[in-house]
Amino acid sequence: MVHMENYLNKLNSLGLQIPTVLLPAQGCDLVKWSVIACDQFTQDRDYWEKVKTTAAGSPSTFNMIFPEVFLSDDDAAKRIEDIHSAMYRYLQDGVFAQPHKGFIYIERDTPYQKKRRGLVAVIDLEQYEWLPETRPLIRCTEGTVPERLPPRMDIRRGAPLELPHVLLLIDDETDNLLFSLGEKAKKNAALYSTSLMMESGHISGWLLDSENDINFLSEKLDELLNRSVSRYNGNTSPFLFAVGDGNHSLAAAKGIWTEYKNTKGADLDHPCRYALVEIENIYDNAIQFEPIHRLVFDIGFDKMISLLSKLPGFSNRSIDNINELSRLCKNPSAANCFGIISENRYALIETSAAGIATACLQPILDEYAGENPQLIDYIHDEDELFRLACKTDRLCCAILLPPVQKSGLFETVARLGPLPRKSFSMGHSIEKRFYFECRSICK
């Protein structure tokens, strides 16, 4: 028992706690239960209508989330009320099995990659911050837009449950931690194993709850933290976890916890102090970084070219077709480049600006949008971008971004702070995290 207490204290110092996880009870249709992260397919209502149809007639996480494609609708308040009602109903009606106390090791197959490994855990929001000038143990990798937080906070405020789509990255170059946890976990039967709807692959999860498991995890994470001190150019504030996906949801959770502290600060160990996440290794071969493209409304081809002419070392050439534009954007080049698609015209923009492509692009787009940030949408897949660019119901310009390299991410964030918002995506839209596990956030 003394040993276990020491391991738990070590985990706490690393920003982790052992989660108490709620999973659907036996007999629940798991294909209908699990749905994709709410911030995907934000311009594709048809996708979400298909999800609704697929999930109909069975308990589903669809009824406990707010797909962002619907955020601008007039019924937002009613949707949030329905979300909270569904959560309470599922808790009361026996939808969940008895809770499991322990970490959950996950393996996910996607249409593009096999056996992406992860670990469901609880993080301490006191060890996380999104403000760019801060250097906490758990850091965001991209800029956070404060205006995007209120609707997410409205959903979490008063909710009895949380569902994670937050992905945290560790910088484990040896790829030893999650591999070894998987070897331990898979000696036991899986807690769940199911295909995912809309041809999105397969997911399985195993419980890790022994003293040896906790000891191994705490020791290996401590090693990674200590290693970061020397790896990131002697940075005096090393960090252990980088938010790879779901930063705005995590920032909303932090906001709710801050609200709670400011009004009821005596209970500093309330469940809303913590957030359920999945931890993955940036060096996992099944994790590929993809660019997040831009779709800019109420602007045509010529005006966008004029806007981007502000880029340093700007050059512009017309391209005959969309396939050639895609090929050129993916070519390794000393210069940053962007593909422009609008009004059935195509162009390749090149700039001498160094660093990740979004660093020079986003300020120009933000200046164009001004106080109307909804004029810019962020599209995760190239094919989806091309589809939207060809729609004729509203003037728009699609901006195709070049590939993103994941090497050096931790060092860059340690040195410079967060990248511009929506700089990269961990895989294609269909590979995003599916909601499955739940956790109580009320007492």
Side-chain angles (χ1 to χ4, degrees):
M1 197 61 159
V2 173
H3 288 158
M4 178 60 94
E5 185 175 344
N6 291 337
Y7 303 151
L8 293 178
N9 289 337
K10 173 59 71 176
L11 280 178
N12 293 344
S13 71
L14 297 168
L16 290 187
Q17 279 203 346
I18 302 174
T20 299
V21 178
L22 292 169
L23 299 174
Q26 190 172 4
C28 179
D29 186 331
L30 298 183
V31 175
K32 293 185 176 186
W33 171 259
S34 188
V35 307
I36 203 166
C38 64
D39 58 350
Q40 300 306 303
F41 300 102
T42 56
Q43 293 289 325
D44 192 351
R45 287 175 177 258
D46 287 346
Y47 176 92
W48 286 102
E49 291 299 333
K50 290 176 183 175
V51 171
K52 181 178 179 181
T53 300
T54 303
S58 181
S60 176
T61 54
F62 176 75
N63 299 316
M64 298 188 286
I65 66 166
F66 198 149
E68 292 189 6
V69 70
F70 303 123
L71 275 178
S72 60
D73 292 0
D74 294 334
D75 64 346
K78 178 65 164 56
R79 274 186 179 271
I80 293 173
E81 182 181 325
D82 290 345
I83 287 168
H84 292 171
S85 295
M87 290 178 174
Y88 281 111
R89 187 171 67 253
Y90 285 0
L91 285 168
Q92 293 167 0
D93 291 353
V95 168
F96 294 104
Q98 287 297 308
H100 298 274
K101 186 171 179 61
F103 299 95
I104 297 179
Y105 169 78
I106 285 177
E107 287 185 356
R108 166 86 187 275
D109 292 340
T110 80
Y112 299 93
Q113 304 290 339
K114 298 296 182 185
K115 208 159 117 173
R116 190 179 74 203
R117 302 184 298 265
L119 185 74
V120 174
V122 161
I123 64 164
D124 184 353
L125 293 168
E126 286 289 298
Q127 302 266 31
Y128 158 81
E129 185 53 80
W130 59 267
L131 296 172
E133 65 275 12
T134 60
R135 296 293 184 268
L137 187 71
I138 305 167
R139 296 185 198 175
C140 56
T141 54
E142 299 177 314
T144 304
V145 185
E147 294 78 15
R148 296 184 67 195
L149 300 184
R152 291 163 179 79
M153 291 176 64
D154 289 342
I155 296 165
R156 191 174 179 94
R157 187 184 295 112
L161 296 173
E162 66 169 351
L163 299 74
H165 76 261
V166 176
L167 297 178
L168 295 190
L169 294 170
I170 54 173
D171 191 15
D172 182 11
E173 197 168 15
T174 63
D175 201 16
N176 174 258
L177 174 57
L178 291 175
F179 174 83
S180 299
L181 288 175
E183 293 290 299
K184 295 172 181 291
K186 291 165 71 175
K187 293 176 181 177
N188 303 313
L191 286 174
Y192 57 83
S193 185
T194 182
S195 297
L196 297 171
M197 68 168 63
M198 313 285 280
E199 299 181 348
S200 301
H202 190 276
I203 190 168
S204 300
W206 293 262
L207 187 67
L208 284 165
D209 62 351
S210 74
E211 184 172 330
N212 286 336
D213 296 336
I214 308 305
N215 177 32
F216 179 83
L217 177 61
S218 61
E219 287 186 349
K220 292 301 179 183
L221 287 176
D222 194 42
E223 287 176 12
L224 290 179
L225 181 61
N226 291 331
R227 191 189 312 165
S228 72
V229 176
S230 58
R231 291 187 70 189
Y232 308 141
N233 298 325
N235 188 278
T236 56
S237 55
F239 69 109
L240 182 57
F241 300 110
V243 184
D245 213 347
N247 182 64
H248 285 89
S249 293
L250 200 55
K254 174 78 172 189
I256 293 299
W257 165 237
T258 301
E259 278 185 5
Y260 183 91
K261 275 198 306 181
N262 291 341
T263 56
K264 304 175 183 178
D267 185 3
L268 293 180
D269 198 38
H270 190 277
C272 73
R273 172 175 171 165
Y274 306 94
L276 200 60
V277 302
E278 181 182 338
I279 298 168
E280 297 183 347
N281 180 24
I282 193 172
Y283 288 102
D284 189 329
N285 290 330
I287 295 176
Q288 298 298 319
F289 278 19
E290 300 288 341
I292 301 179
H293 311 292
R294 271 56 174 165
L295 188 68
V296 188
F297 294 102
D298 298 343
I299 188 170
F301 185 89
D302 290 326
K303 187 173 180 181
M304 180 58 74
I305 297 294
S306 177
L307 274 181
L308 296 184
S309 68
K310 301 174 185 178
L311 292 166
F314 168 87
S315 68
N316 161 42
R317 60 183 165 118
S318 297
I319 305 299
D320 290 337
N321 60 74
I322 208 166
N323 292 327
E324 177 67 2
L325 184 64
S326 174
R327 184 187 69 80
L328 290 170
C329 268
K330 292 173 183 173
N331 272 347
S333 171
N336 265 323
C337 64
F338 307 97
I340 304 300
I341 309 158
S342 182
E343 302 176 288
N344 294 316
R345 298 165 68 188
Y346 315 102
L348 182 71
I349 304 294
E350 291 187 294
T351 171
S352 60
I356 194 165
T358 52
C360 62
L361 176 66
Q362 195 62 43
I364 293 175
L365 299 184
D366 288 343
E367 183 180 359
Y368 162 74
E371 296 182 1
N372 298 296
Q374 67 274 14
L375 290 176
I376 307 170
D377 200 3
Y378 302 89
I379 310 300
H380 287 263
D381 290 335
E382 182 179 279
D383 290 346
E384 177 70 357
L385 183 77
F386 294 164
R387 182 186 73 82
L388 294 169
C390 294
K391 292 178 69 175
T392 58
D393 56 341
R394 182 178 179 184
L395 182 65
C396 66
C397 183
I399 304 179
L400 181 69
L401 270 70
V404 178
Q405 301 300 319
K406 62 183 181 180
S407 59
L409 175 68
F410 271 72
E411 182 178 351
T412 300
V413 172
R415 213 164 27 88
L416 303 176
L419 305 173
R421 68 183 180 277
K422 299 290 184 180
S423 285
F424 67 89
S425 171
M426 292 172 59
H428 300 274
S429 290
I430 206 169
E431 295 183 284
K432 294 299 179 178
R433 194 175 204 283
F434 270 59
Y435 300 106
F436 201 103
E437 307 84 7
C438 297
R439 171 180 166 267
S440 173
I441 53 172
C442 63
K443 277 192 173 179

